[in-house]
Amino acid sequence: MKRPMTLLVAAVIVALEGLIALGLGIYVGVEAAVGRPESMTSAVAEAGFGLLVGAGLLWVAWGGLFKLERWGRSPSVLAQIFVIPVAITLINADRPALGIPLLAVALAGLGVLLAPPTTKALYGEER
C-alpha cells in the first residue's frame, strides 16, 4: 500500500513531538545533575518522564505510522489530545508564543491522523 501524504505528515509531527520531549527530558536531567534543583526526586522523575514519552513517541512514529501499522494511530491521537490542554495552559499563562504554535501542531496532527487517506491506508476498506 502506498503511504499517503497525510500519514507521512502525521509521522513527522509525532516524531518531532518525540524529539522535543526527549530533548526536554535530557535538558532537565542535565540541569538536575549540574545544578541544585529544589527537589532532586521531582527533577529525576520529570527527566525520566520526558525520556520515556520522547522514546515512546519516536517508536510510535517510526514503528507505527511510518510503517503503516494501524496500532500507531491510537497513541498518536491520544498524544495530540494531551498536547491541547498544555497549549491552552501556556496561552492562558501569557506564553502565547509557545502555546499557539503548540496548539496549531496538535490540531494539524489530529487533522492528518483522522484524515480519510490516513484511515484508508491504515484500515483499508474496513469501517
Side-chain angles (χ1 to χ4, degrees):
M1 171 97 202
K2 186 180 176 210
R3 184 179 303 106
M5 184 58 70
T6 56
L7 192 54
L8 182 60
V9 171
V12 168
I13 287 172
V14 174
L16 287 174
E17 290 169 345
L19 288 172
I20 290 169
L22 198 61
L24 288 172
I26 291 168
Y27 174 78
V28 170
V30 169
E31 285 296 310
V34 299
R36 294 180 184 247
E38 285 186 36
S39 170
M40 183 60 83
T41 303
S42 293
V44 169
E46 288 174 20
F49 184 72
L51 293 173
L52 287 173
V53 167
L57 287 174
L58 288 171
W59 176 59
V60 167
W62 176 254
L65 297 177
F66 191 75
K67 292 188 176 180
L68 297 171
E69 297 289 338
R70 65 176 65 174
W71 63 261
R73 185 159 86 165
S74 294
S76 299
V77 168
L78 190 60
Q80 306 316 303
I81 291 170
F82 284 153
V83 167
I84 291 170
V86 173
I88 291 170
T89 300
L90 286 168
I91 293 167
N92 290 337
D94 293 329
R95 306 283 273 174
L98 295 172
I100 292 171
L102 189 59
L103 182 61
V105 168
L107 293 175
L110 278 174
V112 293
L113 284 163
L114 300 175
T118 299
T119 301
K120 186 174 182 187
L122 295 177
Y123 295 94
E125 297 300 321
E126 295 178 24
R127 295 213 179 248

